[in-house]
């Protein structure tokens, strides 16, 4: 696959769902990819990327942004509070707000820095013990807490369990977002972003289908 193939697939998914393609942002997930693959996608004109580690993103994006100043990066992996300041400086959005303590830290830093990236609350829709995110039952409370803190909360994010039908999880996330009056839905990856679009995804996170299999180490 390639960036063009994925854009075509995304346009078709939008058409099938009766949605305007401008409502769905394609996040090219560049974690662990060789720099030349990332550079090639930048050279093709793509400007929105996703990374799951603060340290890794800090090691490559400030350099890329010298050449491509309009390139934006979103954090899609877990965030430790001691990396929150660095994350707020690097990322245009943070998709992984998953606990009150992190929300409080982000709010304090937002006051200090005078800006805050767009935020998504991560919901562990499959209630998997090894996965980050609040449970569906805890989601409304964390949304309310973010709002009480004045944070720019734009939506919800989920990573469905690998062995389950993703559509059930996309539908659940859509329901939780709707009852909280949130429009943003960060869901769908290489294998299932078409389905996510049908359930209202506004941000699909596609890695291997654009860049090829991730090369370890
Ligand atoms: C790696 C990753 C993706 C992209 O996965 P692919 O299957 O390569 O498309 C999407 N979302 C998150 C949170 C990820 O960590």
């Amino acid at each position: 696959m390639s960036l063009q193939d994925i854009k075509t697939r995304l346009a078709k998914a939008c058409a099938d769902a009766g949605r305007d393609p401008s409502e769905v942002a394609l996040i090219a997930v560049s974690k662990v990819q060789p720099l030349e693959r990332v550079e090639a996608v930048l050279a093709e004109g793509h400007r929105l990327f996703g990374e799951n580690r603060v340290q890794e993103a800090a090691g490559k994006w400030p350099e890329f942004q010298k050449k491509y100043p309009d390139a934006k990066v979103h954090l899609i992996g877990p965030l430790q509070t001691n990396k929150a300041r660095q994350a707020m400086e690097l990322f245009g959005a943070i998709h992984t707000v998953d606990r009150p303590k992190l929300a409080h830290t982000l709010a304090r830093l937002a006051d200090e820095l005078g800006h805050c990236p767009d935020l998504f609350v991560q919901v562990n829709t499959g209630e998997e013990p090894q996965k980050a995110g609040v449970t569906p039952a805890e989601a409304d409370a964390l949304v309310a807490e973010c709002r009480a803190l004045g944070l720019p909360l734009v939506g919800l994010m989920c990573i469905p369990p690998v062995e389950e039908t993703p559509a059930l999880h996309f539908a659940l996330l859509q329901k939780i977002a709707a009852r909280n009056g949130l429009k943003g839905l960060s869901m769908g990856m290489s294998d299932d972003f078409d389905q996510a679009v049908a359930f209202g995804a506004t941000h699909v996170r596609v890695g291997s289908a654009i860049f090829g299999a991730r090369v370890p180490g």
Side-chain angles (χ1 to χ4, degrees):
M1 292 263 189
S2 69
L3 178 65
Q4 267 320 315
D5 295 332
I6 295 308
K7 283 188 177 169
T8 305
R9 223 176 105 187
L10 182 56
K12 180 170 184 313
C14 290
D16 290 348
R19 300 189 55 205
D20 186 333
S22 70
E23 290 171 14
V24 188
L26 174 61
I27 301 176
V29 178
S30 49
K31 67 183 186 204
V32 198
Q33 296 288 352
L35 295 183
E36 56 276 14
R37 288 190 191 169
V38 183
E39 171 95 50
V41 170
L42 279 162
E44 277 187 82
H46 197 71
R47 291 293 179 267
L48 181 58
F49 294 82
E51 291 283 346
N52 71 336
R53 287 171 188 276
V54 177
Q55 229 42 58
E56 187 185 334
K60 70 179 104 158
W61 284 100
E63 200 53 41
F64 278 140
Q65 283 162 331
K66 285 184 196 157
K67 188 161 170 197
Y68 302 97
D70 53 344
K72 300 256 179 320
V73 194
H74 288 188
L75 180 66
I76 60 170
L79 179 57
Q80 296 170 324
T81 45
N82 64 2
K83 302 233 172 80
R85 176 190 296 273
Q86 197 182 7
M88 289 178 82
E89 286 161 356
L90 269 170
F91 297 105
I94 296 172
H95 292 229
T96 49
V97 179
D98 60 357
R99 55 202 193 277
K101 185 180 178 217
L102 179 58
H104 282 269
T105 301
L106 292 171
R108 180 172 51 72
L109 289 167
D111 280 345
E112 191 185 315
L113 301 171
H115 73 94
C116 186
D118 287 344
L119 302 177
F120 295 75
V121 162
Q122 182 175 357
V123 183
N124 185 356
T125 55
E127 305 197 41
E128 296 172 277
Q130 81 283 11
K131 217 168 250 176
V134 289
T135 64
E138 295 162 339
D140 296 3
L142 186 54
V143 167
E145 187 146 16
C146 288
R147 285 182 167 150
L149 289 166
L151 289 169
L153 185 69
V154 299
L156 304 178
M157 177 270 213
C158 77
I159 309 171
V162 279
E163 68 287 357
E164 287 182 27
T165 311
L168 298 175
H169 296 272
F170 299 154
L172 175 58
L173 198 70
Q174 184 182 40
K175 190 174 111 188
I176 299 169
R179 74 173 180 233
N180 283 285
L182 286 166
K183 286 222 163 28
L185 285 169
S186 168
M187 59 189 194
M189 320 201 314
S190 288
D191 293 332
D192 55 24
F193 71 84
D194 324 66
Q195 288 181 67
V197 167
F199 285 96
T202 58
H203 295 71
V204 294
R205 311 179 307 263
V206 181
S208 42
I210 292 176
F211 294 102
R214 283 181 284 279
V215 188

